[in-house]
Amino acid sequence: MYEQVSHSLLNDILVELKPEIGNQRLRHFYTRLGANFYAIHSLFHMLYGDRADFKEQMVSLVETLALRYMERSPALRKSDLAREKDYNWFLSQKWVGMALYCDRFADDLKGLRAKLPYIQELGVNMVHIMPILDCPPDHSDGGYAVRDFHKVDARYGTNADVEALAGTLKKRDMLLVLDVVVNHTSNEHEWARRARAGEQKYQDYYFVFDDREIPDSYEESMPEIFPVTAPGNFTWDEEMNKWVMTVFNSYQWDLNYRNPEVLIEMIDIILFWANKGADVLRLDAVAFLWKKIGRTCQNEREAHLLLQLMKDCCQVTAPGVLFIAEAIVAPSEVTKYFGEDAINAKECEIAYNATFMALLWDSVATKNAKLLNLGLKNLPEKLERATWLNYVRCHDDIGLGFDDKDVRLAGYDPVAHRRFLIEYYTGSYATSPARGVPFGENPKTGDARISGSLASLVGLESALQMNNEQAITDAIKTIVMLHGLILSYGGIPLLYYGDAIGTLNSLEYMADPAKRDDNRWINRSHFDWQKSELRRQTGSIEQRIFSALQHMIAVRKVTNVFADFDNRQFLTLENPNLLAYYRTDPQHSRNRVLVVANFNNEVQHLPISVLKPYGFIEQGGMKELCSGSRIAVENELIAVEPYSCYWLVD
Ligand code: OTU
């Protein structure tokens, strides 16, 4: 029945397509369209079915998919077919990512090519180049205020450079991740310029209002994202004489997905970059895609429908391409971005594990794993064929988005505890070695977030200032321990470009008036190539961090149980300072790795009586995979050194 309906609907659309679409080399396209059409049509109908031009819009969508398929290169088509066959390819433990700024890590895209040996030396084979599309020079939000979605910013190079780099990466068996900023455009984007000039068509691409009536209604329930630098959610545009919705910075205009043309444009842009050779696309701010008066305008059902549509459409034209959901939202919401009620992810295959990240920072500050244990265990199950992007630091601030229920269960008052964390990381807590800065402090809600580099937040900066060897060692150990966790948790670890050499906070951004007010730039400095040379000098800080990470990455890659097949189980321990989970080979249940981390500054003991019920330690002892050494059992206890993460096997 479905199939019949779907076929006749599909035929209705196909007869309307532009003549040039014809039949040329479209075999796989039609097969994939057939397979996905029912879903695409019903989703599109749910969102836009009440419009008089529904069918016209549907035709335009299918045309977009076909035209982009026609330009997809033979090499990419081949890779699509291979990935369709080996559809779990990205769950492998072999992938290790790094996020970097093309201009801050290298000079430009061409220069980046010359820096690949450094990345590969570390073992990284998935490169997320932070946004590189054309942006206004000043108001760029680090690349997230795009002026032209089809063109690389001249500062970084050309579209041809991206294609060349994609080719180079492919030859080295590396993946390319690019951003698509789906939620908003720069106010200098052509659509915004034409809207400002009065063109109704383009005003309908955004949320544009004559007076404060509707903006006020929206704002009653919308939180502020950048309360200090961009308070409110609307901006008055002088030239247009109207209010426009700007959830992020005032120069970032939110796109209106109630207009199907916006969705079709964005799908076209996604496929454009898929065709330039991106393996993975990071979809920015996906939680914000649908706005509704009376709601927070995040995580709306329709935002999920839009993502499902984007995925199904990509499945038709470029099925080898994956999506990363950048949804920094509550733990109960985040897994929904993989899709719901399906074996295969129907939205994004990969999602930032912001919950894990924030919980790790809680444990570093509290020196215990109470909240971490609770938060991880309460994270809803995700779909199969979906995986996390696990990270310690990224280019943004750290938000303390834990579940309040868990915070209470851990024995803290949510407000007081968040206050403590902010104070701990921003230097106003007396005994804290952390050197972060507060970001987005909102006096109305009492909220604040944290900016700072990994090394500065774990105390390396203050340790160096005090010339305190022990504190330096502790900071290094913490950096290594945190990576030991993101490398073993399950998912793709995403390193941040300066972290393997202990990059400290940088104040270089203060000299730039366009950046000065946004302290997230404290952790977006120019990569220090001279400092990185010290990684070759035995005993240097750089070497101690770099070699440890490099070694762990190498061990991860040959440890099959680290592939993400939802094969993680947590251990319940009485000791609140430890986090412990084990990863099991789904095929050979005896093949397991037990991961134990100690967040405390003192040695903690793991009683083997806790391990025995799980069948561990039957042979009398365990081996640590990274050091290769046996772990001593004394008085029936395994000693876990301070700030350490062990990968243990029987
Ligand atoms: C994302 O950020 C980007 O990572 C930021 O660099 C951009 O400024 C922002 O979008 C606008 O494009 O949208 O889903 O707390 O975590 O703004 C979450 C701040 C986002 C970021 C949040 C985030």
Side-chain angles (χ1 to χ4, degrees):
M1 173 61 184
Y2 272 1
E3 233 161 60
Q4 266 172 21
V5 175
S6 166
H7 273 145
S8 68
L9 283 174
L10 178 55
N11 286 333
D12 276 4
I13 302 293
L14 293 179
V15 296
E16 305 280 336
L17 297 184
K18 289 183 183 155
E20 68 259 36
I21 289 174
N23 262 321
Q24 27 156 337
R25 296 171 63 226
L26 293 184
R27 186 163 63 94
H28 294 298
F29 174 79
Y30 282 124
T31 313
R32 290 171 187 143
L33 182 62
N36 289 283
F37 187 75
Y38 182 72
I40 294 177
H41 186 276
S42 38
L43 288 163
F44 204 70
H45 196 266
M46 275 189 251
L47 289 163
Y48 309 115
D50 56 351
R51 293 176 59 108
D53 64 350
F54 171 75
K55 187 170 169 196
E56 236 175 285
Q57 297 293 347
M58 190 66 212
V59 171
S60 150
L61 175 64
V62 174
E63 253 166 20
T64 302
L65 303 184
L67 291 170
R68 287 294 177 211
Y69 181 77
M70 284 161 63
E71 68 167 29
R72 193 151 174 83
S73 75
L76 292 174
R77 290 181 185 202
K78 212 172 123 200
S79 139
D80 288 336
L81 288 169
R83 286 178 183 173
E84 275 179 319
K85 257 199 185 149
D86 182 20
Y87 51 87
N88 281 336
W89 64 275
F90 62 98
L91 303 178
S92 162
Q93 77 285 356
K94 86 175 218 191
W95 301 115
V96 177
M98 179 188 278
L100 54 86
Y101 286 93
C102 149
D103 59 333
R104 295 168 171 264
F105 185 74
D107 295 326
D108 52 20
L109 287 162
K110 281 207 180 79
L112 186 53
R113 190 189 167 136
K115 303 298 186 193
L116 292 179
Y118 170 86
I119 297 175
Q120 287 189 289
E121 186 185 329
L122 194 54
V124 166
N125 50 16
M126 171 175 161
V127 186
H128 171 208
I129 309 178
M130 298 295 293
I132 46 173
L133 301 190
D134 179 58
C135 279
D138 289 340
H139 293 151
S140 71
D141 189 24
Y144 288 103
V146 178
R147 183 166 58 184
D148 184 343
F149 284 112
H150 293 100
K151 194 174 140 249
V152 166
D153 199 299
R155 284 171 285 184
Y156 313 131
T158 62
N159 289 10
D161 292 339
V162 174
E163 284 180 278
L165 184 66
T168 303
L169 291 172
K170 184 132 290 180
K171 287 198 194 97
R172 295 178 183 222
D173 197 20
M174 297 170 86
L175 302 175
L176 174 62
V177 187
L178 293 180
D179 276 87
V180 179
V181 186
V182 284
N183 179 68
H184 42 261
T185 75
S186 152
N187 61 351
E188 291 185 31
H189 189 283
E190 190 196 333
W191 303 334
R193 281 197 283 114
R194 295 176 72 167
R196 204 179 292 119
E199 278 186 60
Q200 191 60 47
K201 173 177 160 82
Y202 291 103
Q203 292 194 355
D204 291 345
Y205 273 41
Y206 301 98
F207 295 88
V208 168
F209 305 101
D210 293 325
D211 55 40
R212 285 292 313 179
E213 191 66 36
I214 301 176
D216 282 343
S217 319
Y218 269 112
E219 281 188 346
E220 280 166 23
S221 51
M222 286 173 92
E224 293 172 297
I225 306 301
F226 297 141
V228 181
T229 48
N233 284 283
F234 291 83
T235 300
W236 173 252
D237 188 86
E238 277 304 331
E239 208 182 314
M240 189 163 57
N241 239 321
K242 287 177 198 285
W243 290 95
V244 57
M245 186 187 283
T246 55
V247 169
F248 293 90
N249 289 295
S250 57
Y251 53 81
Q252 286 165 307
W253 289 17
D254 285 71
L255 286 165
N256 186 353
Y257 280 91
R258 284 171 198 263
N259 178 353
E261 282 172 45
V262 169
L263 173 65
I264 296 168
E265 296 263 22
M266 203 44 83
I267 288 174
D268 188 52
I269 291 161
I270 287 174
L271 299 175
F272 179 84
W273 289 105
N275 283 351
K276 294 277 176 266
D279 298 285
V280 186
L281 295 171
R282 173 196 185 275
L283 306 184
D284 184 60
V286 288
F288 295 82
L289 292 182
W290 197 266
K291 321 294 200 278
K292 254 186 217 165
I293 289 175
R295 317 270 300 195
T296 60
C297 300
Q298 289 182 45
N299 306 314
E300 294 299 338
R301 176 85 201 117
E302 290 83 350
H304 288 287
L305 300 182
L306 288 167
L307 287 167
Q308 286 167 26
L309 259 170
M310 289 176 182
K311 183 75 265 180
D312 288 338
C313 289
C314 190
Q315 214 54 38
V316 173
T317 299
V321 172
L322 306 180
F323 289 168
I324 298 177
E326 195 259 346
I328 313 304
V329 297
S332 55
E333 293 292 340
V334 66
T335 45
K336 296 182 186 165
Y337 289 90
F338 293 124
E340 286 182 276
D341 314 320
I343 295 293
N344 288 330
K346 294 301 277 183
E347 292 184 24
C348 300
E349 290 87 353
I350 308 172
Y352 276 80
N353 199 348
T355 309
F356 187 32
M357 181 277 299
L359 289 165
L360 287 173
W361 287 105
D362 182 87
S363 287
V364 169
T366 57
K367 297 196 175 8
N368 72 61
K370 276 195 262 177
L371 187 54
L372 178 62
N373 270 296
L374 284 163
L376 289 179
K377 286 174 192 163
N378 290 338
L379 195 61
E381 299 241 321
K382 63 172 176 60
L383 289 185
E384 284 177 38
R385 201 178 173 272
T387 199
W388 293 114
L389 202 60
N390 295 313
Y391 63 114
V392 180
R393 278 303 285 124
C394 72
H395 68 293
D396 277 332
D397 51 291
I398 302 171
L400 306 176
F402 327 110
D403 193 322
D404 277 359
K405 224 172 52 247
D406 294 336
V407 180
R408 282 195 203 93
L409 277 175
Y412 311 118
D413 167 67
V415 174
H417 189 61
R418 286 200 176 80
R419 227 337 81 216
F420 156 73
L421 291 172
I422 300 291
E423 285 173 7
Y424 180 91
Y425 282 115
T426 61
S428 47
Y429 190 79
T431 59
S432 167
R435 290 280 180 277
V437 287
F439 177 79
E441 279 180 305
N442 189 339
K444 283 172 257 171
T445 57
D447 286 344
R449 284 122 67 182
I450 299 148
S451 291
S453 81
L454 168 61
S456 291
L457 290 173
V458 298
L460 186 60
E461 190 177 325
S462 57
L464 287 167
Q465 273 160 8
M466 295 180 303
N467 206 3
N468 178 334
E469 268 311 319
Q470 184 57 49
I472 291 173
T473 298
D474 287 349
I476 293 174
K477 287 181 75 178
T478 308
I479 293 174
V480 175
M481 170 185 72
L482 293 170
H483 283 90
L485 289 167
I486 62 163
L487 283 160
S488 65
Y489 180 78
I492 304 174
L494 182 72
L495 281 67
Y496 190 62
Y497 65 113
D499 288 347
I501 55 164
T503 301
L504 303 179
N505 286 345
S506 156
L507 297 180
E508 69 189 37
Y509 77 99
M510 302 278 271
D512 182 344
K515 300 194 170 74
R516 189 182 298 151
D517 295 328
D518 185 345
N519 66 29
R520 291 177 298 172
W521 286 95
I522 207 166
N523 188 33
R524 301 175 181 175
S525 55
H526 283 88
F527 186 80
D528 187 340
W529 286 99
Q530 237 171 329
K531 178 174 158 69
S532 87
E533 280 305 307
L534 297 172
R535 73 185 185 276
R536 305 183 206 279
Q537 196 176 299
T538 311
S540 69
I541 289 170
E542 293 74 10
Q543 183 269 326
R544 289 161 74 191
I545 303 173
F546 189 93
S547 345
L549 267 45
Q550 182 187 44
H551 186 58
M552 283 193 294
I553 290 171
V555 173
R556 165 185 159 98
K557 287 186 177 176
V558 296
T559 306
N560 292 337
V561 299
F562 286 159
D564 187 11
F565 289 101
D566 290 328
N567 52 337
R568 176 196 334 96
Q569 263 173 293
F570 292 100
L571 252 57
T572 304
L573 305 176
E574 268 164 35
N575 187 327
N577 301 316
L578 299 174
L579 169 71
Y581 50 80
Y582 61 97
R583 309 285 315 276
T584 310
D585 184 333
Q587 256 95 55
H588 308 95
S589 59
R590 294 296 306 155
N591 181 10
R592 298 183 297 181
V593 175
L594 172 66
V595 177
V596 187
N598 174 10
F599 288 85
N600 200 260
N601 54 339
E602 284 174 19
V603 180
Q604 300 296 313
H605 293 99
L606 185 62
I608 59 170
S609 59
V610 205
L611 298 180
K612 287 212 165 128
Y614 296 92
F616 286 108
I617 217 153
E618 280 165 358
Q619 329 297 327
M622 295 188 100
K623 192 180 90 174
E624 207 283 320
L625 278 179
C626 293
S627 62
S629 48
R630 299 215 59 87
I631 290 288
V633 179
E634 264 174 57
N635 302 326
E636 304 280 289
L637 298 170
I638 291 179
V640 188
E641 291 298 313
Y643 312 122
S644 297
C645 176
Y646 297 164
W647 294 350
L648 301 173
V649 287
D650 267 325

